[in-house]
Amino acid sequence: MSESLPCVGCGWCCLHDQCDLSHRLHGYCRRCPEVYWSEELGRYLCALVGHVERDREARRALFVGMGCCYPASPWREDVRNRDEEFPP
């Protein structure tokens, strides 16, 4: 079994597909409305993680701390704001 790589916040997952929690909260969306680009950190973040009422559920839905779900993604090496390509 190979070791997982840490999440780098490239946005691949959230911009392409919603997690189950986002889908339940918002219905189907082209991209998750909870993902946002942090200019300060230079990565994408989820507004549900750290949310008082949703944090625990969000962490489970996103497998926070479990590593990257698509380590072969070319975005891992090119973490940048892709909001123009994937508008909210």
Side-chain angles (χ1 to χ4, degrees), residues 29-56:
C29 298
R30 183 171 179 260
R31 79 172 243 185
C32 179
E34 299 290 347
V35 68
Y36 67 95
W37 177 256
S38 168
E39 199 65 48
E40 180 182 339
L41 297 176
R43 64 177 287 157
Y44 278 98
L45 298 171
C46 174
L48 294 172
V49 174
H51 185 276
V52 175
E53 298 165 359
R54 298 283 187 193
D55 183 72
R56 187 174 175 166

Side-chain angles (χ1 to χ4, degrees), residues 50-70:
H51 185 276
V52 175
E53 298 165 359
R54 298 283 187 193
D55 183 72
R56 187 174 175 166
E57 190 177 5
R59 289 179 175 277
R60 274 196 311 263
L62 297 171
F63 300 97
V64 171
M66 302 299 288
C68 179
C69 68
Y70 184 33

